[in-house]
Amino acid sequence: PRNYAIDGEARCGEWLDILPHPLPDVLRTMEDHYSGRLSFEVRTKPTPYLKIQHNCKYACSQEPFKSLRKGIFSYYAYDKSNDLFERQSGPNSAGWVSIADLPPEIPKAFVMLEDPGFYAHRGIHVQALENSLKMNLATGRFVRGGSTISMQLAKNLWLRRHKTVGRKAYEALLTVALESCFSKAEILEMYMNVVEYGPNLYGIGPATKHYFSKPAQQLELDEAFYLASILPRPKQALAPASGGMDRVHNLMKALANSGLISEYMVPIKDSIDTEGWDVDE
């Protein structure tokens, strides 16, 4: 192509007419419930560049968010064979863990590893997406997504795993609506309770019982870092006793050395009591 840039501006709901069809089921009835406008500009040469601006709002009394306000909601997850199955979640479902019941440092571990700018952005972290654009163009394939916690939640609740530019656009529109209807604490709580932590293992409650044989309310900080660290590739994660916790402790040491967490947060390995041992010179 002669032109390596594209830009556009439209009403937030109008983008649903512009994006690739057929739309995912969740988006087909949402157009009339958006307000505000969204504009973007993307360039691939000579230097990759991305800009997104919006003031999108969504009528939160409408679907799909009306269902999320109920005590139990359903979404599609993947089993061990990567086949879809319907999973129930929500505050009234078995295994749900309220963020208010967790030690305050536990959610911070997820934010630090998954989305350090979570409390500053409005669902879309433009710089992270631009960095992903640069890396993907350099490698010629999708190697990095640049998704925020809010975008990952939208994908897990309503979209499929296949990676396309169109899906990222759907994800963005769902995310700006999600952020206009829920607080950061609510989004983080839903995220920790619906994401995959291993084959057929969804939600922080079941994950904590599986990996550490305890309720999530009793998680230690390094255990929370372990759970957060396996989220990008949970099916390939090392088990805690098979090197997984060693990796996490090294990660926490690196974070402390960089000043991102305090030294006191890094676990100290149990020292060996050598009193009474006979040691040959």
PDB file of all heavy atoms in Angstrom, residues 120-151:
ATOM      1  N   ALA A 120      -4.930   4.095  36.674  1.00  0.00           N
ATOM      2  CA  ALA A 120      -4.733   5.380  35.997  1.00  0.00           C
ATOM      3  C   ALA A 120      -5.463   5.468  34.662  1.00  0.00           C
ATOM      4  O   ALA A 120      -5.928   6.545  34.275  1.00  0.00           O
ATOM      5  CB  ALA A 120      -3.242   5.629  35.785  1.00  0.00           C
ATOM      6  N   HIS A 121      -5.591   4.359  33.958  1.00  0.00           N
ATOM      7  CA  HIS A 121      -6.233   4.413  32.637  1.00  0.00           C
ATOM      8  C   HIS A 121      -7.741   4.191  32.764  1.00  0.00           C
ATOM      9  O   HIS A 121      -8.249   3.829  33.824  1.00  0.00           O
ATOM     10  CB  HIS A 121      -5.607   3.401  31.677  1.00  0.00           C
ATOM     11  CG  HIS A 121      -5.739   1.964  32.096  1.00  0.00           C
ATOM     12  ND1 HIS A 121      -6.947   1.320  32.233  1.00  0.00           N
ATOM     13  CD2 HIS A 121      -4.799   1.028  32.415  1.00  0.00           C
ATOM     14  CE1 HIS A 121      -6.769   0.075  32.593  1.00  0.00           C
ATOM     15  NE2 HIS A 121      -5.477  -0.129  32.723  1.00  0.00           N
ATOM     16  N   ARG A 122      -8.432   4.389  31.646  1.00  0.00           N
ATOM     17  CA  ARG A 122      -9.888   4.188  31.602  1.00  0.00           C
ATOM     18  C   ARG A 122     -10.249   2.937  30.802  1.00  0.00           C
ATOM     19  O   ARG A 122     -11.214   2.903  30.077  1.00  0.00           O
ATOM     20  CB  ARG A 122     -10.570   5.412  31.001  1.00  0.00           C
ATOM     21  CG  ARG A 122     -10.449   6.674  31.856  1.00  0.00           C
ATOM     22  CD  ARG A 122     -11.305   7.791  31.283  1.00  0.00           C
ATOM     23  NE  ARG A 122     -10.832   8.179  29.956  1.00  0.00           N
ATOM     24  CZ  ARG A 122     -11.601   8.752  29.023  1.00  0.00           C
ATOM     25  NH1 ARG A 122     -12.885   8.958  29.265  1.00  0.00           N
ATOM     26  NH2 ARG A 122     -11.097   9.099  27.857  1.00  0.00           N
ATOM     27  N   GLY A 123      -9.436   1.920  30.969  1.00  0.00           N
ATOM     28  CA  GLY A 123      -9.715   0.647  30.319  1.00  0.00           C
ATOM     29  C   GLY A 123      -8.777   0.326  29.173  1.00  0.00           C
ATOM     30  O   GLY A 123      -8.457  -0.833  28.927  1.00  0.00           O
ATOM     31  N   ILE A 124      -8.335   1.357  28.442  1.00  0.00           N
ATOM     32  CA  ILE A 124      -7.428   1.166  27.314  1.00  0.00           C
ATOM     33  C   ILE A 124      -6.129   1.888  27.616  1.00  0.00           C
ATOM     34  O   ILE A 124      -6.124   3.106  27.861  1.00  0.00           O
ATOM     35  CB  ILE A 124      -8.030   1.711  26.010  1.00  0.00           C
ATOM     36  CG1 ILE A 124      -9.335   0.971  25.684  1.00  0.00           C
ATOM     37  CG2 ILE A 124      -7.050   1.571  24.856  1.00  0.00           C
ATOM     38  CD1 ILE A 124     -10.079   1.538  24.480  1.00  0.00           C
ATOM     39  N   HIS A 125      -5.019   1.152  27.619  1.00  0.00           N
ATOM     40  CA  HIS A 125      -3.700   1.740  27.856  1.00  0.00           C
ATOM     41  C   HIS A 125      -3.047   1.917  26.494  1.00  0.00           C
ATOM     42  O   HIS A 125      -2.504   0.979  25.910  1.00  0.00           O
ATOM     43  CB  HIS A 125      -2.874   0.820  28.742  1.00  0.00           C
ATOM     44  CG  HIS A 125      -1.652   1.463  29.319  1.00  0.00           C
ATOM     45  ND1 HIS A 125      -0.747   2.153  28.560  1.00  0.00           N
ATOM     46  CD2 HIS A 125      -1.195   1.526  30.605  1.00  0.00           C
ATOM     47  CE1 HIS A 125       0.228   2.605  29.333  1.00  0.00           C
ATOM     48  NE2 HIS A 125      -0.030   2.247  30.585  1.00  0.00           N
ATOM     49  N   VAL A 126      -3.118   3.139  25.961  1.00  0.00           N
ATOM     50  CA  VAL A 126      -2.692   3.385  24.583  1.00  0.00           C
ATOM     51  C   VAL A 126      -1.211   3.081  24.391  1.00  0.00           C
ATOM     52  O   VAL A 126      -0.814   2.497  23.381  1.00  0.00           O
ATOM     53  CB  VAL A 126      -3.019   4.835  24.173  1.00  0.00           C
ATOM     54  CG1 VAL A 126      -2.515   5.105  22.756  1.00  0.00           C
ATOM     55  CG2 VAL A 126      -4.527   5.081  24.247  1.00  0.00           C
ATOM     56  N   GLN A 127      -0.370   3.451  25.368  1.00  0.00           N
ATOM     57  CA  GLN A 127       1.058   3.204  25.220  1.00  0.00           C
ATOM     58  C   GLN A 127       1.357   1.712  25.154  1.00  0.00           C
ATOM     59  O   GLN A 127       2.200   1.268  24.379  1.00  0.00           O
ATOM     60  CB  GLN A 127       1.822   3.838  26.390  1.00  0.00           C
ATOM     61  CG  GLN A 127       3.353   3.767  26.236  1.00  0.00           C
ATOM     62  CD  GLN A 127       3.842   4.476  24.983  1.00  0.00           C
ATOM     63  OE1 GLN A 127       3.565   5.656  24.780  1.00  0.00           O
ATOM     64  NE2 GLN A 127       4.560   3.756  24.118  1.00  0.00           N
ATOM     65  N   ALA A 128       0.643   0.918  25.959  1.00  0.00           N
ATOM     66  CA  ALA A 128       0.846  -0.532  25.913  1.00  0.00           C
ATOM     67  C   ALA A 128       0.436  -1.097  24.557  1.00  0.00           C
ATOM     68  O   ALA A 128       1.104  -1.992  24.012  1.00  0.00           O
ATOM     69  CB  ALA A 128       0.054  -1.200  27.030  1.00  0.00           C
ATOM     70  N   LEU A 129      -0.648  -0.589  23.981  1.00  0.00           N
ATOM     71  CA  LEU A 129      -1.073  -1.046  22.661  1.00  0.00           C
ATOM     72  C   LEU A 129      -0.078  -0.629  21.576  1.00  0.00           C
ATOM     73  O   LEU A 129       0.194  -1.387  20.652  1.00  0.00           O
ATOM     74  CB  LEU A 129      -2.461  -0.489  22.336  1.00  0.00           C
ATOM     75  CG  LEU A 129      -3.632  -1.088  23.118  1.00  0.00           C
ATOM     76  CD1 LEU A 129      -4.928  -0.363  22.772  1.00  0.00           C
ATOM     77  CD2 LEU A 129      -3.778  -2.578  22.843  1.00  0.00           C
ATOM     78  N   GLU A 130       0.473   0.584  21.711  1.00  0.00           N
ATOM     79  CA  GLU A 130       1.469   1.032  20.735  1.00  0.00           C
ATOM     80  C   GLU A 130       2.724   0.173  20.813  1.00  0.00           C
ATOM     81  O   GLU A 130       3.304  -0.199  19.788  1.00  0.00           O
ATOM     82  CB  GLU A 130       1.823   2.501  20.972  1.00  0.00           C
ATOM     83  CG  GLU A 130       2.780   3.058  19.924  1.00  0.00           C
ATOM     84  CD  GLU A 130       3.080   4.533  20.139  1.00  0.00           C
ATOM     85  OE1 GLU A 130       2.206   5.360  19.837  1.00  0.00           O
ATOM     86  OE2 GLU A 130       4.193   4.836  20.619  1.00  0.00           O
ATOM     87  N   ASN A 131       3.150  -0.151  22.043  1.00  0.00           N
ATOM     88  CA  ASN A 131       4.317  -1.029  22.200  1.00  0.00           C
ATOM     89  C   ASN A 131       4.053  -2.396  21.583  1.00  0.00           C
ATOM     90  O   ASN A 131       4.943  -3.000  20.963  1.00  0.00           O
ATOM     91  CB  ASN A 131       4.667  -1.181  23.678  1.00  0.00           C
ATOM     92  CG  ASN A 131       5.185   0.109  24.291  1.00  0.00           C
ATOM     93  OD1 ASN A 131       5.631   1.009  23.584  1.00  0.00           O
ATOM     94  ND2 ASN A 131       5.120   0.208  25.607  1.00  0.00           N
ATOM     95  N   SER A 132       2.835  -2.894  21.734  1.00  0.00           N
ATOM     96  CA  SER A 132       2.480  -4.176  21.139  1.00  0.00           C
ATOM     97  C   SER A 132       2.467  -4.087  19.620  1.00  0.00           C
ATOM     98  O   SER A 132       2.914  -5.016  18.931  1.00  0.00           O
ATOM     99  CB  SER A 132       1.100  -4.623  21.644  1.00  0.00           C
ATOM    100  OG  SER A 132       1.120  -4.817  23.039  1.00  0.00           O
ATOM    101  N   LEU A 133       1.964  -2.975  19.098  1.00  0.00           N
ATOM    102  CA  LEU A 133       1.956  -2.767  17.650  1.00  0.00           C
ATOM    103  C   LEU A 133       3.379  -2.833  17.097  1.00  0.00           C
ATOM    104  O   LEU A 133       3.641  -3.498  16.088  1.00  0.00           O
ATOM    105  CB  LEU A 133       1.314  -1.421  17.321  1.00  0.00           C
ATOM    106  CG  LEU A 133       1.338  -0.981  15.858  1.00  0.00           C
ATOM    107  CD1 LEU A 133       0.488  -1.906  15.002  1.00  0.00           C
ATOM    108  CD2 LEU A 133       0.840   0.467  15.728  1.00  0.00           C
ATOM    109  N   LYS A 134       4.303  -2.157  17.761  1.00  0.00           N
ATOM    110  CA  LYS A 134       5.701  -2.153  17.312  1.00  0.00           C
ATOM    111  C   LYS A 134       6.290  -3.562  17.311  1.00  0.00           C
ATOM    112  O   LYS A 134       6.949  -3.983  16.361  1.00  0.00           O
ATOM    113  CB  LYS A 134       6.536  -1.239  18.211  1.00  0.00           C
ATOM    114  CG  LYS A 134       6.192   0.238  18.083  1.00  0.00           C
ATOM    115  CD  LYS A 134       6.991   1.075  19.071  1.00  0.00           C
ATOM    116  CE  LYS A 134       6.645   2.550  18.937  1.00  0.00           C
ATOM    117  NZ  LYS A 134       7.370   3.393  19.935  1.00  0.00           N
ATOM    118  N   MET A 135       6.036  -4.306  18.399  1.00  0.00           N
ATOM    119  CA  MET A 135       6.594  -5.653  18.501  1.00  0.00           C
ATOM    120  C   MET A 135       5.968  -6.588  17.479  1.00  0.00           C
ATOM    121  O   MET A 135       6.667  -7.398  16.849  1.00  0.00           O
ATOM    122  CB  MET A 135       6.384  -6.195  19.918  1.00  0.00           C
ATOM    123  CG  MET A 135       7.013  -7.557  20.165  1.00  0.00           C
ATOM    124  SD  MET A 135       6.851  -8.119  21.882  1.00  0.00           S
ATOM    125  CE  MET A 135       7.894  -6.907  22.709  1.00  0.00           C
ATOM    126  N   ASN A 136       4.665  -6.485  17.281  1.00  0.00           N
ATOM    127  CA  ASN A 136       3.994  -7.361  16.323  1.00  0.00           C
ATOM    128  C   ASN A 136       4.430  -7.068  14.893  1.00  0.00           C
ATOM    129  O   ASN A 136       4.580  -7.986  14.076  1.00  0.00           O
ATOM    130  CB  ASN A 136       2.475  -7.218  16.455  1.00  0.00           C
ATOM    131  CG  ASN A 136       1.961  -7.721  17.790  1.00  0.00           C
ATOM    132  OD1 ASN A 136       2.589  -8.539  18.446  1.00  0.00           O
ATOM    133  ND2 ASN A 136       0.806  -7.219  18.212  1.00  0.00           N
ATOM    134  N   LEU A 137       4.640  -5.798  14.572  1.00  0.00           N
ATOM    135  CA  LEU A 137       5.118  -5.447  13.236  1.00  0.00           C
ATOM    136  C   LEU A 137       6.541  -5.936  13.034  1.00  0.00           C
ATOM    137  O   LEU A 137       6.910  -6.385  11.939  1.00  0.00           O
ATOM    138  CB  LEU A 137       5.058  -3.923  13.044  1.00  0.00           C
ATOM    139  CG  LEU A 137       3.661  -3.324  12.872  1.00  0.00           C
ATOM    140  CD1 LEU A 137       3.735  -1.803  12.911  1.00  0.00           C
ATOM    141  CD2 LEU A 137       3.025  -3.791  11.569  1.00  0.00           C
ATOM    142  N   ALA A 138       7.355  -5.866  14.094  1.00  0.00           N
ATOM    143  CA  ALA A 138       8.749  -6.290  13.985  1.00  0.00           C
ATOM    144  C   ALA A 138       8.869  -7.795  13.770  1.00  0.00           C
ATOM    145  O   ALA A 138       9.765  -8.259  13.049  1.00  0.00           O
ATOM    146  CB  ALA A 138       9.519  -5.880  15.240  1.00  0.00           C
ATOM    147  N   THR A 139       7.961  -8.562  14.374  1.00  0.00           N
ATOM    148  CA  THR A 139       8.028 -10.022  14.260  1.00  0.00           C
ATOM    149  C   THR A 139       7.139 -10.568  13.147  1.00  0.00           C
ATOM    150  O   THR A 139       7.289 -11.720  12.741  1.00  0.00           O
ATOM    151  CB  THR A 139       7.604 -10.681  15.593  1.00  0.00           C
ATOM    152  OG1 THR A 139       6.276 -10.267  15.922  1.00  0.00           O
ATOM    153  CG2 THR A 139       8.557 -10.270  16.713  1.00  0.00           C
ATOM    154  N   GLY A 140       6.189  -9.756  12.677  1.00  0.00           N
ATOM    155  CA  GLY A 140       5.304 -10.199  11.614  1.00  0.00           C
ATOM    156  C   GLY A 140       4.188 -11.110  12.076  1.00  0.00           C
ATOM    157  O   GLY A 140       3.544 -11.784  11.269  1.00  0.00           O
ATOM    158  N   ARG A 141       3.931 -11.164  13.379  1.00  0.00           N
ATOM    159  CA  ARG A 141       2.846 -11.987  13.912  1.00  0.00           C
ATOM    160  C   ARG A 141       2.423 -11.442  15.265  1.00  0.00           C
ATOM    161  O   ARG A 141       3.098 -10.580  15.840  1.00  0.00           O
ATOM    162  CB  ARG A 141       3.279 -13.445  14.055  1.00  0.00           C
ATOM    163  CG  ARG A 141       4.485 -13.657  14.947  1.00  0.00           C
ATOM    164  CD  ARG A 141       5.022 -15.081  14.828  1.00  0.00           C
ATOM    165  NE  ARG A 141       6.195 -15.274  15.672  1.00  0.00           N
ATOM    166  CZ  ARG A 141       6.168 -15.709  16.921  1.00  0.00           C
ATOM    167  NH1 ARG A 141       4.985 -16.009  17.483  1.00  0.00           N
ATOM    168  NH2 ARG A 141       7.260 -15.872  17.623  1.00  0.00           N
ATOM    169  N   PHE A 142       1.306 -11.956  15.789  1.00  0.00           N
ATOM    170  CA  PHE A 142       0.817 -11.517  17.093  1.00  0.00           C
ATOM    171  C   PHE A 142       1.639 -12.180  18.198  1.00  0.00           C
ATOM    172  O   PHE A 142       1.518 -13.382  18.434  1.00  0.00           O
ATOM    173  CB  PHE A 142      -0.664 -11.900  17.270  1.00  0.00           C
ATOM    174  CG  PHE A 142      -1.613 -11.050  16.477  1.00  0.00           C
ATOM    175  CD1 PHE A 142      -2.280 -11.584  15.386  1.00  0.00           C
ATOM    176  CD2 PHE A 142      -1.837  -9.742  16.827  1.00  0.00           C
ATOM    177  CE1 PHE A 142      -3.161 -10.811  14.645  1.00  0.00           C
ATOM    178  CE2 PHE A 142      -2.718  -8.957  16.094  1.00  0.00           C
ATOM    179  CZ  PHE A 142      -3.373  -9.488  15.003  1.00  0.00           C
ATOM    180  N   VAL A 143       2.477 -11.392  18.845  1.00  0.00           N
ATOM    181  CA  VAL A 143       3.254 -11.922  19.972  1.00  0.00           C
ATOM    182  C   VAL A 143       2.917 -11.192  21.271  1.00  0.00           C
ATOM    183  O   VAL A 143       3.244 -11.656  22.350  1.00  0.00           O
ATOM    184  CB  VAL A 143       4.772 -11.823  19.715  1.00  0.00           C
ATOM    185  CG1 VAL A 143       5.181 -12.728  18.572  1.00  0.00           C
ATOM    186  CG2 VAL A 143       5.191 -10.380  19.438  1.00  0.00           C
ATOM    187  N   ARG A 144       2.235 -10.059  21.160  1.00  0.00           N
ATOM    188  CA  ARG A 144       1.895  -9.283  22.349  1.00  0.00           C
ATOM    189  C   ARG A 144       0.574  -8.571  22.090  1.00  0.00           C
ATOM    190  O   ARG A 144       0.351  -8.037  21.014  1.00  0.00           O
ATOM    191  CB  ARG A 144       3.008  -8.268  22.652  1.00  0.00           C
ATOM    192  CG  ARG A 144       2.717  -7.349  23.818  1.00  0.00           C
ATOM    193  CD  ARG A 144       3.938  -6.497  24.126  1.00  0.00           C
ATOM    194  NE  ARG A 144       3.620  -5.464  25.100  1.00  0.00           N
ATOM    195  CZ  ARG A 144       4.509  -4.644  25.640  1.00  0.00           C
ATOM    196  NH1 ARG A 144       5.776  -4.741  25.293  1.00  0.00           N
ATOM    197  NH2 ARG A 144       4.133  -3.728  26.517  1.00  0.00           N
ATOM    198  N   GLY A 145      -0.300  -8.568  23.101  1.00  0.00           N
ATOM    199  CA  GLY A 145      -1.624  -7.994  22.908  1.00  0.00           C
ATOM    200  C   GLY A 145      -1.805  -6.602  23.486  1.00  0.00           C
ATOM    201  O   GLY A 145      -2.595  -5.815  22.981  1.00  0.00           O
ATOM    202  N   GLY A 146      -1.107  -6.285  24.562  1.00  0.00           N
ATOM    203  CA  GLY A 146      -1.255  -4.969  25.175  1.00  0.00           C
ATOM    204  C   GLY A 146      -2.557  -4.784  25.917  1.00  0.00           C
ATOM    205  O   GLY A 146      -2.985  -3.649  26.157  1.00  0.00           O
ATOM    206  N   SER A 147      -3.210  -5.887  26.289  1.00  0.00           N
ATOM    207  CA  SER A 147      -4.508  -5.780  26.948  1.00  0.00           C
ATOM    208  C   SER A 147      -4.365  -5.394  28.414  1.00  0.00           C
ATOM    209  O   SER A 147      -3.468  -5.868  29.108  1.00  0.00           O
ATOM    210  CB  SER A 147      -5.271  -7.105  26.860  1.00  0.00           C
ATOM    211  OG  SER A 147      -5.630  -7.388  25.533  1.00  0.00           O
ATOM    212  N   THR A 148      -5.265  -4.553  28.876  1.00  0.00           N
ATOM    213  CA  THR A 148      -5.364  -4.219  30.285  1.00  0.00           C
ATOM    214  C   THR A 148      -6.188  -5.288  31.003  1.00  0.00           C
ATOM    215  O   THR A 148      -6.765  -6.178  30.378  1.00  0.00           O
ATOM    216  CB  THR A 148      -6.041  -2.857  30.470  1.00  0.00           C
ATOM    217  OG1 THR A 148      -7.393  -2.961  29.961  1.00  0.00           O
ATOM    218  CG2 THR A 148      -5.305  -1.764  29.716  1.00  0.00           C
ATOM    219  N   ILE A 149      -6.257  -5.194  32.330  1.00  0.00           N
ATOM    220  CA  ILE A 149      -7.119  -6.102  33.094  1.00  0.00           C
ATOM    221  C   ILE A 149      -8.561  -5.980  32.619  1.00  0.00           C
ATOM    222  O   ILE A 149      -9.267  -6.984  32.462  1.00  0.00           O
ATOM    223  CB  ILE A 149      -6.996  -5.807  34.605  1.00  0.00           C
ATOM    224  CG1 ILE A 149      -5.695  -6.416  35.137  1.00  0.00           C
ATOM    225  CG2 ILE A 149      -8.201  -6.331  35.382  1.00  0.00           C
ATOM    226  CD1 ILE A 149      -5.411  -6.117  36.595  1.00  0.00           C
ATOM    227  N   SER A 150      -9.014  -4.763  32.360  1.00  0.00           N
ATOM    228  CA  SER A 150     -10.392  -4.553  31.905  1.00  0.00           C
ATOM    229  C   SER A 150     -10.625  -5.194  30.542  1.00  0.00           C
ATOM    230  O   SER A 150     -11.680  -5.802  30.292  1.00  0.00           O
ATOM    231  CB  SER A 150     -10.705  -3.058  31.837  1.00  0.00           C
ATOM    232  OG  SER A 150     -10.480  -2.442  33.088  1.00  0.00           O
ATOM    233  N   MET A 151      -9.652  -5.084  29.642  1.00  0.00           N
ATOM    234  CA  MET A 151      -9.781  -5.699  28.319  1.00  0.00           C
ATOM    235  C   MET A 151      -9.762  -7.223  28.424  1.00  0.00           C
ATOM    236  O   MET A 151     -10.513  -7.908  27.720  1.00  0.00           O
ATOM    237  CB  MET A 151      -8.656  -5.207  27.405  1.00  0.00           C
ATOM    238  CG  MET A 151      -8.736  -3.719  27.082  1.00  0.00           C
ATOM    239  SD  MET A 151      -7.354  -3.118  26.077  1.00  0.00           S
ATOM    240  CE  MET A 151      -7.876  -3.675  24.452  1.00  0.00           C
TER     241      MET A 151
END
